[in-house]
Coordinates of all heavy atoms in Angstrom, one line a residue:
A609 N 106.4 92.2 126.6 CA 105.5 93.2 126.0 C 104.7 93.9 127.2 O 104.1 93.2 128.1 CB 104.5 92.6 125.1
C610 N 104.7 95.2 127.2 CA 104.0 96.0 128.3 C 103.1 97.0 127.6 O 103.3 97.4 126.5 CB 105.1 96.7 129.1 SG 106.1 95.7 130.1
I611 N 102.2 97.5 128.4 CA 101.4 98.7 128.0 C 102.4 99.9 128.0 O 103.1 100.1 129.0 CB 100.2 98.9 129.0 CG1 99.3 97.6 129.1 CG2 99.4 100.1 128.6 CD1 98.7 97.1 127.8
A612 N 102.4 100.6 127.0 CA 103.3 101.7 126.8 C 103.3 102.7 128.0 O 102.2 103.0 128.5 CB 103.0 102.5 125.5
G613 N 104.4 103.1 128.5 CA 104.5 104.0 129.6 C 104.2 103.4 131.0 O 104.2 104.1 131.9
T614 N 104.1 102.1 131.0 CA 103.8 101.4 132.3 C 104.8 100.2 132.4 O 105.5 99.9 131.5 CB 102.4 100.9 132.4 OG1 102.2 99.7 131.6 CG2 101.4 102.0 132.0
R615 N 104.6 99.5 133.5 CA 105.3 98.2 133.7 C 104.2 97.1 133.8 O 104.4 96.1 134.4 CB 106.2 98.3 134.9 CG 107.4 99.1 134.7 CD 108.4 99.1 135.9 NE 109.6 99.8 135.6 CZ 110.6 99.3 135.0 NH1 110.7 98.1 134.6 NH2 111.7 100.1 134.8
V616 N 103.0 97.4 133.3 CA 102.0 96.4 133.3 C 102.1 95.6 132.0 O 102.1 96.0 130.9 CB 100.6 97.1 133.2 CG1 99.5 96.1 133.2 CG2 100.4 98.1 134.5
L617 N 102.3 94.3 132.3 CA 102.6 93.3 131.2 C 101.3 93.1 130.4 O 100.2 93.1 131.0 CB 103.1 92.0 131.7 CG 104.4 92.0 132.4 CD1 104.7 90.6 133.0 CD2 105.5 92.4 131.5
V618 N 101.4 92.9 129.1 CA 100.3 92.6 128.3 C 99.6 91.3 128.8 O 98.4 91.1 128.8 CB 100.7 92.5 126.8 CG1 99.5 91.9 126.0 CG2 101.1 93.8 126.3
T619 N 100.5 90.3 129.2 CA 99.9 89.1 129.7 C 99.1 89.3 131.0 O 98.1 88.5 131.2 CB 101.1 88.1 130.0 OG1 102.0 88.7 130.9 CG2 101.8 87.6 128.8
T620 N 99.4 90.3 131.8 CA 98.6 90.6 133.0 C 97.2 91.0 132.5 O 96.2 90.6 133.1 CB 99.3 91.7 133.8 OG1 100.5 91.2 134.2 CG2 98.4 92.1 135.0
V621 N 97.1 91.9 131.5 CA 95.8 92.3 131.0 C 95.1 91.1 130.4 O 93.9 90.9 130.7 CB 96.0 93.4 130.0 CG1 94.7 93.8 129.3 CG2 96.7 94.7 130.6
L622 N 95.7 90.3 129.6 CA 95.1 89.2 129.0 C 94.6 88.2 130.0 O 93.5 87.6 129.9 CB 96.0 88.6 128.0 CG 96.3 89.5 126.8 CD1 97.4 88.8 125.9 CD2 95.1 89.8 126.0
D623 N 95.5 87.9 131.0 CA 95.1 87.0 132.1 C 93.9 87.4 132.8 O 93.0 86.7 133.2 CB 96.2 86.8 133.1 CG 97.4 85.9 132.6 OD1 97.2 85.2 131.5 OD2 98.5 86.0 133.1
N624 N 93.8 88.7 133.1 CA 92.6 89.3 133.8 C 91.4 89.2 132.9 O 90.3 88.8 133.4 CB 92.8 90.8 134.1 CG 93.6 90.9 135.4 OD1 93.0 90.9 136.5 ND2 94.9 91.2 135.3
L625 N 91.5 89.4 131.6 CA 90.3 89.2 130.7 C 89.9 87.7 130.7 O 88.7 87.4 130.8 CB 90.7 89.7 129.3 CG 90.8 91.2 129.1 CD1 91.5 91.5 127.8 CD2 89.5 91.9 129.2
A626 N 90.9 86.9 130.6 CA 90.6 85.4 130.6 C 89.9 85.0 131.9 O 89.1 84.0 131.9 CB 91.9 84.6 130.3
S627 N 90.2 85.6 133.0 CA 89.6 85.3 134.3 C 88.2 85.9 134.4 O 87.5 85.6 135.4 CB 90.5 85.8 135.4 OG 91.7 85.2 135.4
G628 N 87.8 86.6 133.4 CA 86.4 87.1 133.5 C 86.2 88.6 133.8 O 85.1 89.1 133.9
L629 N 87.4 89.3 134.1 CA 87.3 90.7 134.4 C 87.0 91.5 133.1 O 87.4 91.0 132.0 CB 88.6 91.2 135.0 CG 88.7 91.1 136.5 CD1 88.8 89.6 136.9 CD2 89.9 91.9 137.0
D630 N 86.3 92.6 133.2 CA 86.0 93.4 132.0 C 87.0 94.6 132.0 O 87.8 94.8 133.0 CB 84.6 93.8 131.9 CG 84.1 94.7 133.1 OD1 84.9 95.3 133.8 OD2 82.9 94.7 133.4
S631 N 86.9 95.3 131.0 CA 87.8 96.4 130.8 C 87.8 97.4 131.9 O 88.8 98.0 132.4 CB 87.5 97.1 129.5 OG 88.4 98.2 129.2
E632 N 86.6 97.7 132.4 CA 86.4 98.6 133.5 C 87.1 98.2 134.8 O 87.7 98.9 135.5 CB 84.9 98.8 133.8 CG 84.5 99.9 134.8 CD 84.9 101.3 134.3 OE1 84.8 101.6 133.1 OE2 85.5 102.1 135.1
E633 N 87.0 96.9 135.1 CA 87.6 96.3 136.3 C 89.1 96.4 136.1 O 89.8 96.7 137.1 CB 87.2 94.9 136.5 CG 85.7 94.8 136.9 CD 85.2 93.4 136.9 OE1 85.3 92.7 135.8 OE2 84.6 93.0 137.9
I634 N 89.6 96.1 134.9 CA 91.1 96.2 134.7 C 91.6 97.6 134.9 O 92.6 97.8 135.6 CB 91.4 95.6 133.4 CG1 91.1 94.1 133.4 CG2 92.9 95.8 133.0 CD1 91.1 93.4 132.0
T635 N 90.9 98.5 134.3 CA 91.4 99.9 134.3 C 91.3 100.5 135.8 O 92.0 101.4 136.2 CB 90.7 100.8 133.3 OG1 89.3 100.8 133.6 CG2 91.0 100.4 131.9
S636 N 90.3 99.9 136.5 CA 90.2 100.3 137.9 C 91.3 99.8 138.7 O 91.9 100.5 139.6 CB 88.9 99.8 138.5 OG 88.7 100.2 139.8
S637 N 91.7 98.5 138.5 CA 92.9 97.9 139.2 C 94.2 98.5 138.8 O 95.1 98.5 139.6 CB 92.8 96.4 138.9 OG 91.7 95.8 139.5
Y638 N 94.3 98.9 137.5 CA 95.5 99.4 136.9 C 95.2 100.8 136.3 O 95.0 100.9 135.1 CB 96.1 98.5 135.9 CG 96.4 97.1 136.4 CD1 95.5 96.0 136.3 CD2 97.6 96.8 137.0 CE1 95.8 94.8 136.8 CE2 97.9 95.5 137.5 CZ 97.0 94.5 137.4 OH 97.3 93.3 137.9
P639 N 95.2 101.8 137.1 CA 94.8 103.2 136.6 C 95.7 103.7 135.5 O 95.2 104.5 134.7 CB 94.9 104.0 137.9 CG 94.9 103.1 139.0 CD 95.5 101.8 138.5
S640 N 96.9 103.2 135.3 CA 97.7 103.6 134.2 C 97.4 103.0 132.9 O 97.9 103.3 131.9 CB 99.2 103.4 134.6 OG 99.4 102.0 134.8
V641 N 96.5 102.0 132.9 CA 96.0 101.3 131.7 C 94.7 101.9 131.3 O 93.7 101.9 132.0 CB 95.9 99.8 132.0 CG1 95.4 99.0 130.8 CG2 97.3 99.2 132.4
S642 N 94.6 102.3 130.0 CA 93.4 102.9 129.5 C 92.5 101.7 128.9 O 93.0 100.6 128.6 CB 93.7 103.9 128.4 OG 94.3 103.3 127.3
H643 N 91.3 102.1 128.6 CA 90.4 101.1 127.9 C 91.0 100.8 126.5 O 90.9 99.6 126.1 CB 89.0 101.7 127.8 CG 88.3 101.8 129.1 ND1 87.8 100.7 129.8 CD2 88.1 102.9 129.9 CE1 87.3 101.1 130.9 NE2 87.4 102.4 131.0
D644 N 91.5 101.8 125.8 CA 92.1 101.5 124.5 C 93.3 100.6 124.6 O 93.6 99.8 123.8 CB 92.6 102.9 123.9 CG 91.4 103.6 123.3 OD1 90.3 103.0 123.1 OD2 91.5 104.8 123.1
A645 N 94.1 100.7 125.7 CA 95.2 99.8 125.9 C 94.8 98.4 126.1 O 95.4 97.5 125.7 CB 96.1 100.3 127.1
V646 N 93.6 98.2 126.8 CA 93.1 96.9 127.0 C 92.7 96.3 125.6 O 93.0 95.2 125.3 CB 91.9 96.9 127.9 CG1 91.2 95.5 128.0 CG2 92.3 97.3 129.3
R647 N 92.1 97.1 124.8 CA 91.7 96.7 123.4 C 93.0 96.4 122.6 O 93.0 95.4 121.8 CB 90.8 97.7 122.7 CG 89.4 97.8 123.3 CD 88.5 98.7 122.6 NE 88.8 99.0 121.2 CZ 88.9 100.2 120.7 NH1 88.6 101.3 121.5 NH2 89.2 100.4 119.5

């Protein structure tokens, strides 16, 4: 499972959230991932 239109795995997003990163930090690290995609 990936974020649509990217090669960013859903598990990558979830792992980052579990590590304490917030949506802003994730979208900054992965510019192709939107805040809605994190949700």
Side-chain angles (χ1 to χ4, degrees):
C610 293
I611 303 301
T614 76
R615 291 184 175 271
V616 179
L617 297 172
V618 170
T619 56
T620 299
V621 174
L622 296 172
D623 287 343
N624 277 279
L625 289 167
S627 294
L629 275 68
D630 62 25
S631 181
E632 189 64 39
E633 292 169 308
I634 294 169
T635 58
S636 178
S637 295
Y638 301 94
S640 60
V641 176
S642 68
H643 293 284
D644 284 341
V646 172
R647 287 184 25 229

